[in-house]
Amino acid sequence: MDLGLKGKVAFVAASSDGLGKAVAMELANEGATIIINGRNKAKLESTRKDIEQKFNTKVIAVSGDLADEKERATVLKTIFKDYDVIDILVTNTGGPVSGKFEDLSMSDWNNTYKLLLASTVSLVKAVIPGMRQQKWGRIIAITSQAVKQPVDNLILSNSVRASVAGLMKTLASELGEHNITVNNVMPGYTKTNRLLSLIESNPSFASAVDEIPLKRYGNPEEFAAAVTFLASERASYITGTSLAVDG
């Protein structure tokens, strides 16, 4: 199946590892030009080389912390120096700290807002003008299964990721007339370093697999396939949805 992504320019946030990296690799496999991003320059460069070697495609690596307003501005300036339009935006971040409500400070809440919501708003604002002008665009937010069912001990993620989902649902209505689709993808328990760290800090996460109908954790590649489909021409009549990839 030709997904119609050859020649498209895709920016995948937080893509040096985990789900972001898997998405970048799958988009590259479909022929898109990929811009990857992360805070760790060494890891980012390693990912760039990995994708280029596997798929014989051009990959641009732009380091920077998207939760930091100044670094985010620098990342965007670097991207738009080489490309007038980003065809596909995949927003993504690491997860905020775990903990119960009374154990978390206002600083934790403010940092989560910057990490999850402010970064997403800024990236979307940056790409909309070009997408609107060319009458084509894909905006996809990687959120979490916590949007549909809060996860114990992850109140920061449960709360602010729901805000991201609401933002995307609203944007789908506002941008549809410009042939821009906007969707959320909600990963469940997927084999990433984030899941391993959650299991280490809270052993109860290890038993979550028993509640999954497929009785296993997901693979990042399975999640990436769903995101890539939503980015494709084949998904041109899907917008405003929150797709669970959770087994």
Side-chain angles (χ1 to χ4, degrees):
M1 180 186 294
D2 181 6
L3 295 182
L5 293 175
K6 291 181 176 63
K8 300 294 187 185
V9 178
F11 175 54
V12 184
S15 46
S16 62
D17 199 5
L19 295 179
K21 179 180 179 179
V23 169
M25 294 184 78
E26 188 66 22
L27 288 169
N29 190 35
E30 291 296 327
T33 295
I34 308 299
I35 304 169
I36 60 173
N37 156 261
R39 292 174 295 181
N40 187 312
K41 291 183 179 180
K43 184 182 290 186
L44 192 66
E45 182 62 16
S46 175
T47 296
R48 182 190 67 79
K49 291 179 180 178
D50 191 19
I51 298 174
E52 286 189 339
Q53 290 171 1
K54 285 185 177 178
F55 303 111
N56 192 30
T57 189
K58 184 177 182 181
V59 179
I60 298 93
V62 184
S63 65
D65 183 357
L66 296 178
D68 182 278
E69 186 175 359
K70 290 183 178 179
E71 290 194 35
R72 190 166 63 237
T74 300
V75 168
L76 289 170
K77 183 178 180 180
T78 301
I79 292 170
F80 285 106
K81 182 175 64 177
D82 294 322
Y83 296 98
D84 294 329
V85 177
I86 301 300
D87 301 297
I88 300 162
L89 170 66
V90 180
T91 69
N92 181 38
T93 67
V97 297
S98 59
K100 297 184 181 300
F101 180 78
E102 292 183 347
D103 299 327
L104 299 167
S105 67
M106 283 309 301
S107 178
D108 292 323
W109 283 96
N110 289 331
N111 289 338
T112 301
Y113 162 77
K114 294 174 185 177
L115 176 70
L116 299 182
L117 187 57
S119 63
T120 298
V121 170
S122 294
L123 293 177
V124 171
K125 273 186 169 291
V127 302
I128 283 176
M131 290 181 176
R132 185 189 289 119
Q133 185 175 11
Q134 70 178 5
K135 299 290 286 184
W136 197 98
R138 299 286 187 266
I139 299 172
I140 301 166
I142 297 178
T143 56
S144 168
Q145 65 175 357
V147 170
K148 68 171 187 174
Q149 178 59 52
V151 179
D152 290 346
N153 215 45
L154 291 181
I155 191 169
L156 292 174
S157 181
N158 297 341
S159 302
V160 185
R161 289 194 194 278
S163 299
V164 174
L167 167 70
M168 293 297 171
K169 181 72 172 178
T170 307
L171 283 172
S173 296
E174 293 186 4
L175 299 176
E177 64 181 297
H178 303 291
N179 196 32
I180 301 170
T181 66
V182 188
N183 292 290
N184 296 293
V185 188
M186 304 180 294
Y189 292 104
T190 310
K191 288 185 283 189
T192 63
N193 291 332
R194 167 71 169 168
L195 178 61
L196 294 177
S197 67
L198 287 173
I199 291 174
E200 185 176 344
S201 64
N202 187 348
S204 65
F205 280 104
S207 63
V209 70
D210 297 329
E211 300 175 10
I212 301 172
L214 289 178
K215 301 303 178 187
R216 64 177 177 85
Y217 295 129
N219 295 311
E221 295 78 14
E222 293 173 306
F223 178 81
V227 175
T228 300
F229 175 72
L230 288 176
S232 75
E233 286 285 6
R234 295 284 182 158
S236 58
Y237 203 56
I238 300 174
T239 195
T241 192
S242 290
L243 174 64
V245 185
D246 60 2

